[in-house]
Amino acid sequence: MSRHAAILLAAGGSSRLGFPKQLLLKNSVPLVRQMAQLLLETNPARVIVVTGGASEDVMAALHELPVECAFNPEWRTGLASSVQSGIRELQGTRFEAALITATDQPFLTLSHLQQLVESRPENGDIISGYGVGKGGGIPVCLSRRTTARLSELDGDAGFRKLWNAHERPERIENPDLLYDIDTVENLNLAIDRGVMDAIQPITSFNHA
């Protein structure tokens, strides 16, 4: 049995950015393709890419990668429906854990994903910590027991409701993962720190 399967959440509409963040460029490659490649390098049983907004363009950006796309018709309702779409697509697949990540964390590295997979406790869960005293979340690596409860999530609720005070997931700290790309200001920060291309396919974007 392969230790894990992978789900890439790429269904958002990027309303605050005004352009599909999945198609922003990092090293001249669309961000969604970069993230899919990172997941493939963790050697999963399968990689499911959940699409929604800009679905056709996202699928085109993934051309010839050995991933599978699952369209979430309810993508506007929030993160939960996309997570559930990805898990449904994995029905019938043998895996011990689900590695789940988003598209818009440009500081994410293969090393961090590998740590999540390798450090997950047996029958337990592990999440990314965004710094001491701060919250945590995606990317996460969830046990089969926990993935069976993902139907309990709704809207944009995070994973916290899956655990009680006596059953907390492990954490791997990476403060850079607190920074995602929701706005032009976020994109500017990522460009200034050298992790996103200065020239982006956004007609209204002009990075100084």
Side-chain angles (χ1 to χ4, degrees):
M1 179 188 295
S2 177
R3 281 199 65 191
H4 72 285
I7 298 172
L8 176 57
L9 306 176
S14 309
S15 58
R16 285 192 282 169
L17 182 64
F19 180 85
K21 64 180 75 176
Q22 304 95 317
L23 306 179
L24 294 174
L25 299 179
K26 179 177 182 178
N27 299 323
S28 302
V29 176
L31 197 52
V32 67
R33 189 177 183 91
Q34 287 266 352
M35 296 302 175
Q37 289 172 325
L38 286 181
L39 289 174
L40 286 167
E41 290 186 66
T42 68
N43 194 31
R46 295 169 67 190
V47 175
I48 307 298
V49 181
V50 182
T51 66
S55 180
E56 291 185 4
D57 290 331
V58 169
M59 288 190 292
L62 297 167
H63 181 60
E64 294 187 342
L65 286 184
V67 302
E68 302 164 60
C69 291
F71 179 72
N72 173 19
E74 299 180 352
W75 62 269
R76 291 181 179 83
T77 64
L79 179 74
S81 65
S82 289
V83 173
Q84 291 156 0
S85 291
I87 289 297
R88 281 195 299 271
E89 198 69 20
L90 287 173
Q91 288 181 357
T93 301
R94 300 184 67 192
F95 63 95
E96 295 177 4
L99 179 62
I100 304 173
T101 192
T103 310
D104 63 346
Q105 292 172 304
F107 297 95
L108 180 61
T109 63
L110 174 60
S111 174
H112 184 79
L113 292 176
Q114 290 173 326
Q115 281 186 283
L116 290 173
V117 171
E118 294 167 4
S119 302
R120 185 185 67 84
E122 186 175 1
N123 299 317
D125 307 312
I126 191 166
I127 68 173
S128 300
Y130 301 151
V132 177
K134 297 185 182 295
I138 282 180
V140 300
C141 194
L142 307 179
S143 67
R144 288 297 298 263
R145 182 180 63 175
T146 301
T147 61
R149 297 180 54 214
L150 289 174
S151 60
E152 298 174 18
L153 301 179
D154 57 76
D156 269 325
F159 295 98
R160 286 191 301 273
K161 70 178 296 183
L162 297 174
W163 303 289
N164 57 45
H166 307 290
E167 187 184 30
R168 295 294 184 185
E170 298 290 325
R171 287 168 62 113
I172 292 181
E173 300 297 332
N174 189 336
D176 281 337
L177 295 178
L178 181 62
Y179 301 100
D180 54 13
I181 299 177
D182 284 328
T183 66
V184 170
E185 289 74 24
N186 299 150
L187 178 56
N188 274 321
L189 173 64
I191 291 172
D192 289 338
R193 292 186 58 179
V195 295
M196 294 295 291
D197 295 358
I199 299 175
Q200 294 288 339
I202 307 178
T203 55
S204 61
F205 180 74
N206 181 22
H207 182 68

